[in-house]
Amino acid sequence: MSPEAKRLKLSGIVALIAGCACVVAGIVLAVLGVDITDLFVVVASVVALLLGARGARVANVPSNAPKLMGPSAGATVATGALCAGDVAFANGQVAPIVVGAVAFFLALLVTIATSAVKKSVEKV
């Protein structure tokens, strides 16, 4: 396994585990007081979790990385938009912004790792 594929595998597993934690945090926030930002957090966390799972699987077959690049970039844009929604509608709440930012960072991490694997596959 190439170093880029290992980074993708590691970032995918980290995104998967941390995405699960973010989903739980979003559900807890929603239970404490349902607000649109709590729903944004849950959706962004689920997207990051799914992207992490798919990234970890693609790392096993690096030639599939170009197929993941489009959905990965789209998921990163979606989590970024949801994170921006958290910032816009938070009304002084810090927790939804932090959890949404973590979900965005996780999606961005997997996208960067996917891009590196895609470049290494296309180089060969």
Side-chain angles (χ1 to χ4, degrees):
M1 186 178 283
S2 69
E4 293 87 4
K6 286 181 185 179
R7 272 188 239 118
L8 177 58
K9 184 75 153 182
L10 183 63
S11 65
I13 291 171
V14 167
L16 180 66
I17 293 169
C20 288
C22 288
V23 168
V24 170
I27 291 171
V28 168
L29 288 171
V31 168
L32 293 178
V34 177
D35 190 11
I36 191 73
T37 58
D38 303 333
L39 300 175
F40 287 167
V41 166
V42 172
V43 172
S45 300
V46 168
V47 169
L49 180 142
L50 294 174
L51 184 60
R54 192 156 178 209
R57 289 190 67 212
V58 165
N60 294 330
V61 184
S63 62
N64 289 337
K67 295 177 189 173
L68 179 62
M69 194 60 214
S72 178
T76 302
V77 169
T79 57
L82 290 167
C83 185
D86 285 339
V87 171
F89 299 114
N91 295 331
Q93 298 175 6
V94 177
I97 295 172
V98 170
V99 177
V102 168
F104 173 68
F105 175 73
L106 294 171
L108 185 63
L109 184 70
V110 173
T111 301
I112 291 170
T114 302
S115 175
V117 171
K118 179 184 172 199
K119 287 179 185 176
S120 73
V121 167
E122 289 175 348
K123 191 182 295 184
V124 173

